[in-house]
Amino acid sequence: MRRRQFLGGSALGVAGLIGVGVPLVGSARRGGQGVSPGSLLTSRAKLPKPYEVKLPIPKVLEPVSSSGTTDTYEITQQVADLEILPGLRTQAWTYGGTFPGPTLVSRSGRRTRVKHRNELPQPTVVHLHGGHAPADSDGYPTDLILPADGSISADQATAAMVEGMHGHSAHGRPPGTLGMAKGERTYTYPMNQPAATLWYHDHRMSWTGLSVWRGLAGFHLVQDDEEEQLPLPKGDRDIPLLIADRAFEEDGSFRYPLTDTKLLRPGITDEFMDGVLGDAILVNGAPWPVHEVDRAHYRLRVLNGSNARPYTLQFDQQPSGGQAFAQVGSDGGLLERPVRHDAIHLGTGERADVVVDFSRWRAGTRVRLVNTLADGTAREVMAFDIKAGAVSDDAKVPDKLVRFPRLDPAKAVMTRDFHFRQDRYGWVINDQPYKPGRALARPKLRQLEIWRFTTNQRHPVHVHLNHFQVLSRNDVAPGPYDVGWKDTVDLPSTQTVEVAVKFTDYAGTFMLHCHNLEHEDMAMMGDFVTE
């Protein structure tokens, strides 16, 4: 895709250059968080009516071995034919044959090793989003796992990452990264971090959008003693919810606007340069599912696993008194105190752990969860059917959750600026398209810094290695969804967000990037090196 193709005749046009999205019917609209980016890709398949499919719960993966310090898991990345739309088969790229992949559950302070075997027809990279891990297990975008069958060589994989992309270069891969492995790679996660809702997904340079769209995503939960002592909902009332929009071809296959369907060169058609939005909303891989709940407290671990679509989620009918959501956790773990909301906003990649007391609605009520940033089919998300009958419920939301160490911005040694914007190359940071090995920053370990993110259009900014704390938005107080430890922060157009961050434990090369996956694939990434 050349400069003329990118700027001329695209759905962005002048609107994209001045930082205004192009909302389409059924895709996005103006809301409390501004205009959603992206263009709508409509399905050619007949979509089912909402709330006819039961909510699937991803299976929890058991370790293949355990020692006194370490749990070891094995996951095979494989093609699987799934029934996502009733009566049709969808060929997905999966972790272990399911979408989402299996949920991993780790113990804080106990090492987790995950061996991934790639039996897919394409190279992959695995990133544990929110994981505090050394560089060789972070999922650097050129540290590929080549297909086990040898169908793609290292040279072919390199060419497939760089040809035709704005400013991408395969040269200059920094020392200390693993490069390419054939067939298998083992990732080691020390898990020196508190209880949190993390997720893992593909992170291959130039191809992340397609790979995640086709199914390469799953939950990874961290537990610890402090969380277990709290009276939060547990067991069947602790539910992970991966929300993702998709589009489907007439035969049920995933629809995605590739320029090269043979997958030899990366790139999407002009009109989707701002992000791909689907018209079907999947929750845990099911279209608009329904879940039966008791009149009791439930913990919902909500993840925005979409490529480009933000969500402002609320119930179609509020309980008496409002504030249906008690937020107890954010990207990096539990909050110091719960925060109550009528709605929850999530940019792509963000998570929110919320507790909902379904006893606040009458038995027999169907409560719909909707996205107020969308119209049409994309407005509906899922539903909860509230069962009749008395049940035991000893869960509650305590006034105090966990100890929360605050980063003092007065102790910051420096402030760094990162400008996320569009230019002649595509999507860039500080006027530079991504080049592996070119560091945008070299922060010192254990030194506090302030990082300032500025955008000209909506960009959810994700930082690897350590979580951060939001200090301000446009030089005023943080927003209602900026609480807690964050690894991703959603920036509407023409906003500036300041965060405090301190990198600890691991020296090496890590990433910051936009988590609109189409923007990420089109060079809106940057390396930083901790020293």
Side-chain angles (χ1 to χ4, degrees):
M1 201 65 68
R2 299 291 182 252
R3 178 184 177 188
R4 179 185 59 80
Q5 293 173 295
F6 179 60
L7 296 179
S10 74
L12 287 172
V14 176
L17 292 173
I18 63 175
V20 179
V22 186
L24 302 175
V25 174
S27 63
R29 66 182 181 86
R30 293 186 183 275
Q33 293 290 316
V35 175
S36 170
S39 296
L40 181 67
L41 185 65
T42 56
S43 294
R44 292 168 174 162
K46 181 180 179 181
L47 299 176
K49 295 179 181 180
Y51 320 132
E52 293 185 342
V53 178
K54 291 185 178 180
L55 174 73
I57 306 298
K59 69 177 182 179
V60 174
L61 190 65
E62 295 294 329
V64 295
S65 65
S66 294
S67 69
T69 60
T70 305
D71 296 314
T72 300
Y73 298 84
E74 293 181 355
I75 293 177
T76 299
Q77 303 171 10
Q78 62 193 81
V79 175
D81 286 327
L82 307 177
E83 185 173 347
I84 296 176
L85 302 181
L88 295 175
R89 306 301 294 183
T90 300
Q91 187 179 89
W93 295 352
T94 72
Y95 295 118
T98 64
F99 170 60
T103 297
L104 279 71
V105 180
S106 293
R107 194 76 186 175
S108 177
R110 183 174 171 81
R111 186 183 302 112
T112 293
R113 299 175 74 248
V114 186
K115 183 171 78 172
H116 281 266
R117 178 174 175 81
N118 181 10
E119 294 186 358
L120 293 167
Q122 290 291 313
T124 61
V125 174
V126 182
H127 170 54
L128 178 57
H129 185 125
H132 182 59
D136 60 7
S137 289
D138 185 57
Y140 192 79
T142 61
D143 284 349
L144 305 184
I145 312 173
L146 300 175
D149 64 4
S151 58
I152 295 179
S153 68
D155 287 344
Q156 290 172 320
T158 298
M161 285 192 292
V162 301
E163 288 187 9
M165 298 308 289
H166 313 291
H168 275 38
S169 171
H171 303 293
R173 182 175 59 81
T177 60
L178 295 181
M180 301 187 187
K182 180 179 177 181
E184 295 179 351
R185 171 167 285 151
T186 297
Y187 298 84
T188 300
Y189 307 120
M191 289 303 167
N192 293 324
Q193 59 188 108
T197 299
L198 314 181
W199 65 302
Y200 61 104
H201 60 79
D202 188 74
H203 207 266
R204 178 168 62 132
M205 191 173 94
S206 304
W207 295 95
T208 299
L210 174 66
S211 297
V212 174
W213 188 272
R214 289 193 173 181
L216 289 179
F219 281 98
H220 193 142
L221 310 183
V222 185
Q223 299 177 340
D224 66 14
D225 294 341
E226 195 170 16
E227 178 191 53
E228 288 186 350
Q229 292 171 2
L230 296 171
L232 298 175
K234 296 177 175 62
D236 293 342
R237 294 177 184 167
D238 182 350
I239 303 174
L241 299 175
L242 189 157
I243 303 175
D245 57 338
R246 296 291 186 266
F248 295 88
E249 298 287 0
E250 188 174 4
D251 62 359
S253 59
F254 284 125
R255 189 179 183 205
Y256 191 76
L258 293 167
T259 56
D260 178 10
T261 57
K262 294 183 180 179
L263 307 186
L264 298 177
R265 295 176 52 146
I268 54 176
T269 56
D270 287 15
E271 63 188 297
F272 295 97
M273 291 292 186
D274 200 21
V276 183
L277 308 177
D279 59 354
I281 303 298
L282 309 182
V283 183
N284 292 350
W288 304 286
V290 60
H291 188 62
E292 281 193 333
V293 293
D294 297 319
R295 298 187 70 237
H297 291 82
Y298 281 75
R299 178 177 181 172
L300 307 178
R301 300 175 184 258
V302 189
L303 158 65
N304 181 353
S306 292
N307 280 32
R309 184 186 294 281
Y311 295 84
T312 296
L313 301 169
Q314 70 178 47
F315 291 116
D316 66 322
Q317 50 181 303
Q318 290 288 326
S320 176
Q323 297 186 328
F325 301 104
Q327 185 179 359
V328 297
S330 188
D331 300 339
L334 294 174
L335 309 181
E336 182 179 32
R337 298 180 184 278
V339 179
R340 298 190 180 272
H341 305 283
D342 289 323
I344 292 289
H345 178 80
L346 293 173
T348 53
E350 289 187 294
R351 287 89 69 208
D353 280 23
V354 297
V355 175
V356 177
D357 181 3
F358 286 105
S359 71
R360 299 177 68 189
W361 288 272
R362 293 192 305 271
T365 302
R366 169 167 286 181
V367 184
R368 293 164 38 235
L369 187 66
V370 299
N371 177 23
T372 62
L373 292 183
D375 293 317
T377 57
R379 178 179 173 83
E380 305 295 323
V381 177
M382 67 172 296
F384 296 90
D385 284 347
I386 301 173
K387 296 186 289 186
V391 295
S392 173
D393 181 21
D394 56 2
K396 63 179 181 179
V397 180
D399 294 333
K400 180 71 180 294
L401 294 168
V402 295
R403 295 163 295 174
F404 191 84
R406 298 187 181 277
L407 301 177
D408 182 0
K411 297 180 179 179
V413 299
M414 69 179 306
T415 297
R416 300 182 191 269
D417 284 285
F418 300 92
H419 301 284
F420 291 72
R421 70 184 189 90
Q422 179 188 14
D423 75 354
R424 67 186 185 276
Y425 294 110
W427 302 108
V428 297
I429 304 175
N430 290 352
D431 299 320
Q432 298 186 79
Y434 180 58
K435 180 178 180 179
R438 178 169 57 196
L440 299 183
R442 292 182 176 273
K444 299 293 184 182
L445 289 175
R446 293 173 288 281
Q447 286 190 347
L448 182 66
E449 296 189 355
I450 294 174
W451 285 16
R452 186 161 48 216
F453 307 130
T454 303
T455 67
N456 74 335
Q457 191 164 339
R458 180 172 232 126
H459 298 296
V461 177
H462 174 47
V463 178
H464 290 208
L465 181 57
N466 277 84
H467 292 85
F468 53 78
Q469 294 174 11
V470 179
L471 300 176
S472 67
R473 282 185 180 265
N474 285 358
D475 296 321
V476 297
Y481 309 112
D482 294 330
V483 292
W485 288 105
K486 300 285 293 174
D487 57 48
T488 308
V489 61
D490 194 31
L491 274 70
S493 61
T494 66
Q495 276 207 8
T496 295
V497 168
E498 286 191 334
V499 306
V501 63
K502 181 190 292 185
F503 297 103
T504 61
D505 298 332
Y506 307 119
T509 300
F510 298 90
M511 307 286 302
L512 76 155
H513 58 84
C514 177
H515 218 279
N516 178 318
L517 300 187
E518 282 71 46
H519 294 184
E520 175 183 338
D521 283 343
M522 291 183 287
M524 193 168 256
M525 299 193 295
D527 289 358
F528 65 89
V529 178
T530 55
E531 300 174 330

